[in-house]
Amino acid sequence: MTRNVFVIGLNELNADRLRRLRGVDDVQFHPLLTPAQVSETQEFDIPAMLKEAEDTLDAFDGSIDAIVGYIDFPVSTMLPLLCRKYGVRNSSLESMLKCEHKYWSRKVMAEAIPDHVPKFTAFDPFDDDALSKIGEADLRFPFFVKPIKSSGSRLGFRIDSPEDFDYATEKLRAEIGQISEPFNYVMEQADLPDDIRAVEGHYCMAEQVIGGRQCTVEGYVYEGEVVPYGTVDSIRYPQVLSFFYYLYPSTLPRRVQDKMHEITRTIMGHIGYDNAGFNIEYYWDEVQNKIWLLEINTRIAQSHCDLFEMVDGVSHQQVTIDLGLGRRPDMPRGEGPQEVAAEFFYRVFFTDATVARVPSRAEIEVAAEQVPGTRITSYVSRNMKLSELPEQDAYSFAVASVWMGAHKTSKLLWNYEQVMKRLNYEFTDIAE
């Protein structure tokens, strides 16, 4: 019997990945909403998207066996609502919000793993006295601010002075509504404590600056059992907050990874998250031998799919599909053709610019051919403004991504340089 799995925001790249998974010969994958609606925009009308998704599901003449996704907001917060309505497996909306509502998440962490949580407080960026109230919460410069709900590194700022805070609040006031209004709708659907409901979607977090070697632990919970299955290093460009590449498997000491896995099992069990994938971002402060938990995401990291396929043999979408169908994930280890793999981000560090030239499709193909198995995605087109790119951090623009594998990290970095020599981007109207 064919089992029907609906995938929110399914595109052709991910459809190909899904068809290569284990145990899907009897699975039919169906798109639910388009990538343009859920990931290629900064406008999210969640009630309208839910209605369209429900209309599609109601009109389907067959069994609905799973509803899944691999994208951050708004997909991650729509999934529990749809799964609840159609009686398919996923974690509860409240357990997801304990991860995605950053203030609630920090409060829950402080209960279960207090030694791994920085000082934090919530604040209203529209409050002219916000900076003094942050000080009353025992947070001093430098600290970091970010929205209560965001995706990627969008609207995240390091604050070293009152001037930095003024700049950040100006940007937050101008742009936070794109996330806060749809997130408030999701919050209204949940059973929340009064103190959490009062911290609405337009609020922000101020947190003690933490640092060290950053990584992401990918994991899942199956019938109450928390299973971390892989750790990916997050390497930044020198002296800036922007990511240069993600590297799998992690080069952190085994004892550090084991401790992160222990923390992961503790916090996810405490939250009550179940029957879904997740990832947790950590820092290891090597000098103090201190592990900090940065944040929890209620999805697998899409950026890591190719890395797991290159090293382990299949994309870790295996986890998402198996859990959606109610079975223990059949995630292999070390069965891929490469020893290490990475996603590199080609970035430009402008305030804004106009794209004057992009590599042609043929040029991209030639560049990818420099290293077998390389995949390149360009995010810009000629004459567009960089500020039109969605989901960017506050310090740079990701112009392209390059996924590739190798037998060792040094060879991987050398290969990346050879590929990038073939890609020529040009920019005008540059605002430094």
Side-chain angles (χ1 to χ4, degrees), residues 13 114 125 176 214 216 419:
L13 170 64
I176 201 169
Q214 188 173 355
T216 299
V419 169

Side-chain angles (χ1 to χ4, degrees), residues 3 43 147 226 245 259 308 313-315 331 351 354 376:
R3 288 177 292 179
E43 302 292 333
V226 183
Y245 62 97
K259 182 62 178 177
F308 280 96
V314 296
S315 161
M331 191 67 202
T351 300
T354 299
I376 301 171

Side-chain angles (χ1 to χ4, degrees), residues 134-363:
I134 290 171
E136 291 169 6
D138 197 28
L139 277 167
R140 303 287 183 265
F141 299 124
F143 56 87
F144 201 79
V145 301
K146 59 185 176 182
I148 283 292
K149 175 62 196 138
S150 63
S151 55
S153 301
R154 186 180 177 210
L155 294 178
F157 302 89
R158 179 186 165 106
I159 308 300
D160 290 285
S161 67
E163 292 75 20
D164 286 347
F165 189 77
D166 290 343
Y167 173 79
T169 53
E170 179 183 354
K171 298 286 285 186
L172 288 162
R173 289 176 179 182
E175 300 179 30
I176 201 169
Q178 294 175 339
I179 294 290
S180 65
E181 292 180 14
F183 190 58
N184 280 339
Y185 175 83
V186 173
M187 289 177 62
E188 290 167 3
Q189 316 308 309
D191 182 13
L192 304 178
D194 290 342
D195 61 329
I196 300 302
R197 188 174 295 280
V199 182
E200 297 180 345
H202 74 274
Y203 272 70
C204 294
M205 292 288 289
E207 295 188 347
Q208 169 191 353
V209 170
I210 54 178
R213 294 172 63 180
Q214 188 173 355
C215 69
T216 299
V217 172
E218 296 281 356
Y220 63 84
V221 189
Y222 174 72
E223 298 293 344
E225 180 187 0
V226 183
V227 181
Y229 58 84
T231 304
V232 179
D233 288 341
S234 302
I235 313 298
R236 297 182 185 270
Y237 280 86
Q239 308 302 316
V240 293
L241 294 175
S242 302
F243 291 118
F244 178 21
Y245 62 97
Y246 299 142
L247 177 69
Y248 178 68
S250 172
T251 58
L252 292 174
R254 186 71 257 171
R255 62 178 176 82
V256 174
Q257 294 187 55
D258 288 344
K259 182 62 178 177
M260 289 177 176
H261 291 180
E262 177 187 325
I263 297 166
T264 297
R265 286 188 284 267
T266 299
I267 187 58
M268 299 310 289
H270 182 73
I271 285 171
Y273 192 84
D274 203 4
N275 296 314
F278 66 87
N279 67 69
I280 302 182
E281 297 174 52
Y282 287 100
Y283 283 108
W284 175 47
D285 184 331
E286 194 170 0
V287 175
Q288 300 184 56
N289 192 28
K290 177 83 170 180
I291 293 174
W292 298 104
L293 195 158
L294 178 59
E295 64 181 19
I296 306 170
N297 300 301
T298 59
R299 53 170 174 77
I300 65 165
Q302 187 180 174
S303 283
H304 300 164
C305 289
D306 285 3
L307 312 189
F308 280 96
E309 187 162 13
M310 290 177 187
V311 174
D312 290 333
V314 296
S315 161
H316 64 154
Q317 286 167 318
Q318 185 78 51
V319 167
T320 300
I321 302 306
D322 283 345
L323 289 170
L325 292 171
R327 59 196 188 192
R328 181 181 293 276
D330 181 20
M331 191 67 202
R333 183 181 297 273
E335 296 183 15
Q338 306 292 353
E339 297 294 322
V340 297
E343 177 189 5
F344 292 93
F345 299 94
Y346 173 57
R347 296 181 181 273
V348 291
F349 295 85
F350 308 143
T351 300
D352 203 357
T354 299
V355 181
R357 184 191 189 281
V358 298
S360 67
R361 181 186 297 272
E363 288 173 318

